[in-house]
Amino acid sequence: MTTLGLPLPRRLPPAAYLRYYPHNRSAVDRHREALDRFARRLGLPSPAVYLDNGRRSTGPRPGFEQLARAVLDGVHRVLIVPGPWVFSVDDATARLAVRLLTAAGCHRILTLPPPGGGGSAPPDAGRRTGPGRTRT
């Protein structure tokens, strides 16, 4: 469909990334459901999930590599994650993963809001720009 001869922008599906070590099937299922609900709440389609269940952040992560390639290819521009810990428990390494995805073309990386709207600790003011949004 076009308007004034110009194609309408195509709505790209969001992506989601999950990584657990050690392998944790129940956490994957819970977080997949939460990511899907969050996407719907934002008016987005269900995210395409990239998974590295049972993978260390310091070892090969084929799911993350597939995600990065998909972002680079323009398949996704929005990523939803439960938190930056999915990239690595090391903050510097997690920030590096966020920078890599941003450089590849990811426009927004959204984190799930804490359950119940609150948390046990305040968010890192240097990395959070609002509920569910992580600045890159």
Side-chain angles (χ1 to χ4, degrees), residues 16-18 20 27 30-42 47 79-86 109-115 117-118 128 130-134:
Y17 179 67
L18 297 170
Y20 300 92
R30 283 192 315 272
H31 276 128
R32 273 187 151 172
E33 291 171 12
L35 293 165
D36 194 51
R37 282 192 309 272
F38 187 52
R40 281 195 315 265
R41 199 170 93 201
L42 296 172
L79 172 64
I80 306 172
V81 294
W85 54 264
V86 297
I109 298 176
L110 307 174
T111 58
L112 290 176
R128 300 279 287 195
R133 292 198 169 91
T134 301

Side-chain angles (χ1 to χ4, degrees), residues 4-77:
L4 300 175
L6 300 174
L8 292 176
R10 180 171 64 107
R11 183 174 220 176
L12 299 173
Y17 179 67
L18 297 170
R19 183 193 62 81
Y20 300 92
Y21 184 81
H23 180 85
N24 189 335
R25 185 72 219 165
S26 64
V28 167
D29 294 340
R30 283 192 315 272
H31 276 128
R32 273 187 151 172
E33 291 171 12
L35 293 165
D36 194 51
R37 282 192 309 272
F38 187 52
R40 281 195 315 265
R41 199 170 93 201
L42 296 172
L44 298 170
S46 292
V49 179
Y50 296 84
L51 180 64
D52 281 322
N53 199 5
R55 302 273 183 173
R56 292 180 182 266
S57 63
T58 56
R61 294 180 295 159
F64 183 80
E65 292 170 13
Q66 290 171 350
L67 168 63
R69 275 193 303 274
V71 169
L72 193 58
D73 290 343
V75 175
H76 308 290
R77 292 293 177 243

